[in-house]
């Protein structure tokens, strides 16, 4: 029997961060992982999808090259080479995580953990590990759609879509959330006819309505078909194609596509853990935790996607560190007010804080600034002037409550906004900060100035 201070189950972003932080804090730490370290994010999510989206971006750049006087004789996409690139990037990062674990003195064990009791797990039905504290970081997997036809060949989830062997002529994407929108971007860039079906009235329903509307407009102009308020009820085989049956505002409709991608959310990975043996309570969303990330058994913590909270790798990083610190006796104060969200569409979307709808619901008197990127010199010279930035502030102190961006490099721009929210910055403080020119980032200052109708490079 192995004994350790801290046992971490699952080596994704939450788990490996928790293990490294635990070891940094002097705890004897063991991490058990059934597959490769890095979890979904590194092996099947954030990283590999961004390799594909980088290829999509390069294809756009090639199309734009003549605008900059560059003639490109011809180009084609080599899928095998792209897949190899994806695998090389993933392998490099997995090796990096492994070496970080080793360098920090974390013992890595391969296998599937199952609780025997509240302080002991069994690995692959054989080896027992007893720990004073246990952190569950087993993540999530693709939610299956319980409608007929999902078992048909050519109906994929996002893991399968990543193993792209050939480019279909058309694809129907069920779910207009983050995964649906990012895959739509990739397929559309390859010239595939893409249709998105979203059950709610708009794609990206969690984003500010103005942002969703802008993406819908831009995607539609690129030939992506979007059916909102459309609930898919069945998939059938139709010759070499698939036929989707869906309901839009009481009307029954159909459409056909060569492939179907199901992207309707993710569910917590708890089935193989035997949580009942450890007194850990869970529901359909995941494992219940308190304000210190402890489960109903206080010696056991749950972090990242498995606890039913915000399903983002950077939230898992944060929770991993915090759980390790709490175990080491530190007081923690979890703050989810500032969680940036990035969507790697083209243009990118990024946001932090409250949407306009949420701020209104909370009863704030609002003042709002909007600045279009077509008025920003850098965006214009890059031929990336689509979209806008929006700042939402309250009226008593002029404090910024939310920043929403659809435009070039939005995922990098959001960093300033996240810090601004964390520091409770006001509109004046953004205006009084000199922003470098020519940058896309100077749009922050212009957007803040637009709150009071005094932007220099844009007249409302
Ligand atoms: P999601 O919850 O973001 O979106 C799923 C969408 O599917 C919802 O809008 C829902 O209304 C719709 N839907 C459900 N059933 C449907 C049906 N029968 N017909 C039509 N539409 C239906 O989930 P996701 O896009 O699968 O992503 C899963 C998680 O992974 C999310 O939390 C997401 O934030 C995260 N993720 C983040 C990133 C990123 O940060 N860039 C990238 C990928 C995934």
């Amino acid at each position: 029997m192995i004994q350790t201070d801290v046992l971490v189950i699952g080596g994704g972003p939450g788990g490996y961060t928790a293990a490294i932080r635990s070891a940094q804090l002097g705890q004897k730490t063991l991490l058990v992982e059934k597959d490769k370290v890095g979890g979904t994010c590194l092996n099947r999510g954030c990283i590999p999808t961004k390799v594909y989206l980088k290829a999509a971006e390069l294809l756009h750049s090639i199309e734009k090259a003549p605008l900059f006087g560059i003639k490109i004789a011809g180009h084609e996409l080599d899928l095998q080479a792209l897949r190899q690139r994806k695998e090389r990037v993933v392998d490099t990062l997995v090796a990096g995580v492994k070496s970080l674990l080793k360098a920090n003195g974390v013992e890595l064990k391969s296998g599937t953990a199952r609780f025997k009791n509240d302080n002991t797990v069994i690995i692959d039905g054989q080896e027992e590990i007893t720990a004073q504290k246990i952190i569950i970081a087993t993540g999530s997997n693709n939610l299956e759609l319980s409608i007929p036809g999902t078992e048909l060949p050519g109906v994929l989830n996002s893991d399968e879509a990543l193993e792209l062997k050939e480019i279909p002529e058309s694809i129907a994407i069920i779910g207009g959330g983050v995964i649906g929108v990012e895959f739509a971007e990739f397929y559309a860039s390859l010239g595939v006819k893409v249709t998105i079906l979203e059950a709610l009235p708009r794609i990206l329903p969690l984003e500010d309505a103005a942002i969703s509307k802008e993406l819908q407009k831009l995607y539609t102009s690129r030939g992506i078909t979007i059916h909102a308020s459309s609930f898919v009820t069945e998939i059938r085989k139709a010759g070499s194609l698939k036929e989707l049956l869906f309901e839009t505002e009481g009307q029954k409709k159909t459409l056909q596509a060569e492939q179907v991608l199901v992207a309707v959310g993710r569910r917590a990975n708890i089935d193989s853990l035997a949580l009942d043996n450890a007194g850990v309570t869970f529901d359909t969303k995941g494992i219940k935790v308190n304000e210190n990330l402890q489960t109903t058994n206080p010696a056991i913590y749950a972090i990242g996607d498995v606890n039913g909270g915000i399903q983002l790798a950077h939230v898992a990083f944060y929770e991993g560190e915090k759980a390790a610190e709490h175990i080491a006796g530190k007081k923690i104060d979890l703050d989810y007010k500032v969680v940036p969200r990035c969507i790697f569409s083209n243009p990118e979307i990024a946001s932090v804080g409250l949407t306009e709808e949420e701020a209104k619901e909370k009863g704030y008197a609002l003042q709002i600034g909007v600045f279009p990127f077509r008025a920003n010199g850098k965006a214009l010279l890059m031929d990336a002037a689509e979209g806008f930035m929006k700042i939402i502030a309250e009226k008593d102190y002029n404090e910024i409550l939310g920043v929403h961006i659809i435009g070039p490099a939005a995922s990098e721009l959001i960093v300033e906004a996240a810090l601004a929210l964390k520091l409770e910055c006001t509109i004046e403080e953004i205006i009084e900060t000199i922003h470098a020119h020519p940058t896309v980032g100077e749009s922050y200052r212009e957007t803040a100035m637009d709150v009071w109708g005094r932007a220099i490079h844009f007249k409302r």
Side-chain angles (χ1 to χ4, degrees), residues 174-175 177-179 182 197-199 205 230-232 263-265 311-312 342:
I174 307 178
V178 186
I179 294 182
E182 289 186 355
L197 297 117
E198 166 55 52
S230 295
F231 196 85
V232 180
V264 295
Q311 292 177 327
L312 291 172
C342 300

Side-chain angles (χ1 to χ4, degrees), residues 208-211 350-352 354-357 360 366-373 387-393 400-406 414 417 443-444 447-448 450-451:
D208 191 275
I211 298 280
S351 57
V352 65
L354 301 179
T355 63
E356 186 175 338
E357 300 87 328
K360 279 184 183 152
L366 296 182
Q367 42 185 352
I368 292 174
V370 177
F371 182 78
F373 286 113
F388 58 85
M389 187 180 287
K390 173 173 174 179
I391 293 182
I392 297 163
I400 298 170
L401 301 175
V403 177
H404 304 273
I405 310 168
I406 176 165
I414 206 64
S443 304
Y444 268 118
T447 314
D450 181 68
V451 172

Side-chain angles (χ1 to χ4, degrees), residues 10-61:
Y16 78 70
T17 303
I20 289 174
R21 188 74 189 116
S22 255
Q24 284 175 347
L25 291 164
Q27 312 270 6
K28 185 178 179 218
T29 307
L30 194 148
L31 172 69
V32 56
E33 165 58 54
K34 67 173 180 173
D35 195 352
K36 286 200 245 167
V37 293
T40 300
C41 171
L42 222 161
N43 294 290
R44 295 173 299 281
C46 326
I47 299 295
T49 55
K50 273 35 163 211
V51 175
Y52 283 6
L53 287 166
K54 179 68 194 173
E57 186 197 320
L58 285 169
L59 287 169
H60 284 296
S61 299

Side-chain angles (χ1 to χ4, degrees), residues 11 62 64 68 81 92 210 212 254 265 288 299 309 360 386 416 423 441:
I62 291 168
K64 283 181 182 178
F68 294 80
T92 305
S212 296
T254 60
K288 286 178 188 254
K360 279 184 183 152
E386 288 166 330
E416 175 177 341
L423 299 178

Side-chain angles (χ1 to χ4, degrees), residues 180-232:
V181 159
E182 289 186 355
F183 272 97
E185 176 62 50
F186 175 64
Y187 283 111
S189 304
L190 304 188
V192 178
K193 187 179 166 345
V194 177
T195 305
I196 301 176
L197 297 117
E198 166 55 52
L200 294 174
R202 58 185 170 94
I203 56 167
L204 299 180
L206 299 181
E207 294 303 323
D208 191 275
I211 298 280
S212 296
K213 204 169 144 201
E214 182 75 2
L215 187 72
Q216 167 135 1
K217 189 184 87 189
L218 294 172
Y219 267 15
T220 306
S221 72
R222 281 170 54 194
I224 298 175
T225 307
I226 297 173
H227 294 288
S229 303
S230 295
F231 196 85
V232 180

Side-chain angles (χ1 to χ4, degrees), residues 100-232:
L100 285 170
L101 289 165
K102 195 169 173 204
N104 281 282
V106 175
E107 188 183 341
L108 178 61
K109 218 168 198 1
S110 179
T112 303
R114 184 181 168 83
F115 280 95
K116 180 182 177 192
N117 56 43
D118 59 2
N119 66 355
T120 304
V121 303
I122 307 177
I123 309 296
D124 292 338
Q126 293 164 355
E127 198 166 18
E128 291 193 2
I129 301 177
T130 297
Q132 284 172 23
K133 297 280 160 60
I134 298 176
I135 301 176
I136 302 171
T138 48
S140 63
N141 58 57
N142 289 306
L143 191 65
E144 281 170 22
L145 197 55
S146 48
I147 58 168
T150 49
E151 73 295 342
L152 289 170
V155 179
L156 314 172
N157 61 30
S158 61
D159 296 352
E160 292 158 344
L162 272 179
E163 292 315 313
L164 190 72
K165 298 263 165 44
E166 56 195 32
I167 301 171
E169 204 178 302
S170 57
I171 189 159
I173 300 178
I174 307 178
V178 186
I179 294 182
V181 159
E182 289 186 355
F183 272 97
E185 176 62 50
F186 175 64
Y187 283 111
S189 304
L190 304 188
V192 178
K193 187 179 166 345
V194 177
T195 305
I196 301 176
L197 297 117
E198 166 55 52
L200 294 174
R202 58 185 170 94
I203 56 167
L204 299 180
L206 299 181
E207 294 303 323
D208 191 275
I211 298 280
S212 296
K213 204 169 144 201
E214 182 75 2
L215 187 72
Q216 167 135 1
K217 189 184 87 189
L218 294 172
Y219 267 15
T220 306
S221 72
R222 281 170 54 194
I224 298 175
T225 307
I226 297 173
H227 294 288
S229 303
S230 295
F231 196 85
V232 180

